[in-house]
Amino acid sequence: MAGRPPLRIGQHGKITRTDLGSGVWLARCRFRDRDGVTRIVERRTPTGSTDKYGDKAEAALVAALDGRRPPTADVSASTLVVDLMKDHVARLREAGELSPVSIDVYERAVLVARPRMAGLKVSDLDPALLHDLLAGIRQAHGDRERAVRAVLNAVLTRAVMAKAIDTNPMRELGRTRRKSEGPKGAPALDPTEVLRAYKRVRTSAYCRRADLRDPVLTLIGTGVRRSEVLGMRWSDIDLDHATANISGRVVRIKGDGLVWLPATKSGAPGRTVPLPAFVVAALRARRTSRISDTWVFPSTSGGLRDPDNFNKQWRRARGLFDLDQVTSHSWRKTLATVIDDAGLSARIGADQLGHARPSMTQDVYWKRGSVHTEVAAAIDKIVR
């Protein structure tokens, strides 16, 4: 004979009422708690009440059961995916755990996805449909597809936890990117190309007029990020000891414009990097004619310099120099190559470039935050 079917989590069995006399009743039932254990739960008529049929005892029991159930899910199979995505970004912003720049990236991802998913419900999504949607976004918007993937994965995981769907179709979809035939992004330069670029930047009339010479020389000599170079303050520079404290960066945030964030891209509070002799010489000369007491590389008005405008000016310059493929990020890859070719360790490279970690082992057991003058010497050797 088949046994009694098990209760679902948060479900109760039949409620029984027992008259205890004098207007007091006992209501009880079986209830399966969140730990999976089925228990007997009971409540009596509240003190001071007269309960003719036991309905007050049962009402007290039902209220107690409601308090033991998991929170009511705010996601169902009919919830619109776009609404979930917008809510996810709003939650991230409210939590304050991500940088404003990252939040803006996710907001743009929602804007990109919205026209293609306007009427889609959580239950509509399957791996095949997601594959086609993401392929279209990748073709139209390139790398923005990565942020769309991240948001979709988060909201569909939330839907699984709310039992709106059984599985996350993003997990079934997996990675569909084509393998590249070579390294992605900006190329690294060999020593001959570095020396040629260095000489052209240093002697270019356009770089001097556009105030590109000194910041580009600093990029070449340190390998720090463009936003970090433009975020350098004079208080961060120690020319006597030939070091710079990379303590913040310049970014554009929706609704706020250009702002200086007191943290590097990896989220670290800052790092100190050595300055090659050619960068020290450029900064010494610059300090005598500075137009800002705060910023090393300000805008023409003395305020924060826009990284996007800087990039446009550099694109024009590299076109003049026949360096079309050399972006501001190329100098980071170039310095990483210099560090490797000089026989320096991956930890030194991580300290110089501001990477969070080359590996877990190195993070745990190797000392961080050292100033490695060997890096400045290696790049100095090339330009000499």
Side-chain angles (χ1 to χ4, degrees):
M1 185 176 182
R4 180 186 298 170
L7 297 170
R8 297 192 304 272
I9 300 294
Q11 184 183 30
H12 68 79
K14 180 180 179 181
I15 296 177
T16 62
R17 304 179 188 181
T18 303
D19 186 359
L20 301 180
S22 303
V24 178
W25 288 72
L26 175 70
R28 65 198 316 257
C29 68
R30 296 165 55 250
F31 180 84
R32 193 174 182 203
D33 280 310
R34 296 184 70 177
D35 61 1
V37 177
T38 300
R39 297 177 173 91
I40 299 296
V41 183
E42 57 185 36
R43 288 294 184 272
R44 296 191 179 205
T45 302
T47 302
S49 299
T50 301
D51 197 1
K52 188 174 182 181
Y53 299 107
D55 55 323
K56 292 183 179 179
E58 182 169 334
L61 175 62
V62 170
L65 297 179
D66 287 341
R68 298 171 76 115
R69 289 191 175 93
T72 303
D74 58 352
V75 181
S76 69
S78 61
T79 302
L80 291 178
V81 178
V82 171
D83 288 345
L84 270 184
M85 295 176 74
K86 290 190 290 186
D87 182 65
H88 175 69
V89 175
R91 291 184 181 208
L92 291 177
R93 186 181 294 279
E94 184 178 353
E97 296 177 358
L98 295 180
S99 73
V101 177
S102 297
I103 297 298
D104 283 350
V105 169
Y106 289 136
E107 281 192 337
R108 288 194 292 271
V110 175
L111 291 176
V112 164
R114 186 167 59 187
R116 299 171 183 267
M117 308 177 67
L120 291 178
K121 302 173 184 177
V122 170
S123 58
D124 292 329
L125 297 185
D126 57 43
L129 178 57
L130 280 171
H131 176 274
D132 292 342
L133 288 169
L134 292 170
I137 291 173
R138 182 166 62 249
Q139 183 176 9
H141 303 281
D143 283 345
R144 202 157 289 182
E145 178 232 358
R146 295 174 59 188
V148 175
R149 277 177 168 263
V151 177
L152 278 173
N153 187 56
V155 301
L156 291 176
T157 297
R158 178 179 165 191
V160 171
M161 294 176 66
K163 299 183 179 179
I165 52 177
D166 294 329
T167 60
N168 182 348
M170 284 295 298
R171 298 291 178 88
E172 297 178 31
L173 183 63
R175 296 183 61 85
T176 59
R177 283 183 173 275
R178 293 174 296 177
K179 293 183 178 179
S180 61
E181 297 178 356
K184 290 184 178 182
L189 281 67
D190 62 33
T192 301
E193 293 171 322
V194 172
L195 183 57
R196 181 166 66 94
Y198 165 80
K199 289 180 177 180
R200 293 195 173 187
V201 169
R202 194 175 177 214
T203 59
S204 166
Y206 172 73
C207 286
R208 187 167 54 253
R209 290 195 308 270
D211 193 21
L212 282 175
R213 184 180 61 184
D214 293 346
V216 172
L217 291 180
T218 305
L219 287 170
I220 294 174
T222 63
V224 302
R225 300 174 179 90
R226 178 187 65 207
S227 60
E228 294 170 345
V229 164
L230 299 183
M232 284 183 174
R233 303 168 298 184
W234 285 112
S235 58
D236 297 323
I237 306 298
D238 185 344
L239 295 179
D240 293 333
H241 294 89
T243 60
N245 181 34
I246 310 303
S247 58
R249 58 193 177 115
V250 178
V251 298
R252 180 174 292 280
I253 297 177
K254 182 179 179 181
D256 295 326
L258 288 178
V259 299
W260 185 83
L261 294 181
T264 59
K265 185 177 180 181
S266 63
R271 68 190 187 280
T272 300
V273 299
L275 299 175
F278 69 88
V279 174
V280 172
L283 294 181
R284 283 192 188 280
R286 186 178 186 85
R287 189 167 59 177
T288 61
S289 59
R290 59 187 176 189
I291 64 173
S292 170
D293 291 330
T294 302
W295 311 111
V296 179
F297 305 114
S299 66
T300 53
S301 62
L304 292 174
R305 189 167 180 177
D306 190 335
D308 290 336
N309 289 342
F310 177 87
N311 220 28
K312 291 176 184 177
Q313 293 171 320
W314 173 243
R315 279 202 298 270
R316 180 179 178 187
R318 72 193 200 207
L320 296 174
F321 303 154
D322 193 24
L323 297 171
D324 291 330
Q325 301 303 314
V326 180
T327 70
S328 60
H329 201 72
S330 293
W331 307 120
R332 287 178 61 74
K333 290 192 175 180
T334 298
L335 200 65
T337 302
V338 169
I339 292 170
D340 188 32
D341 290 346
L344 305 178
S345 69
R347 168 53 59 206
I348 291 177
D351 283 342
Q352 176 75 23
L353 300 174
H355 292 151
R357 54 177 183 168
S359 74
M360 180 61 72
T361 303
Q362 291 170 326
D363 261 355
V364 174
Y365 295 103
W366 289 24
K367 182 180 178 182
R368 288 298 314 269
S370 299
V371 179
H372 305 289
T373 57
E374 307 97 318
V375 175
I379 193 72
D380 248 337
K381 183 178 179 181
I382 291 177
V383 301
R384 283 204 304 269

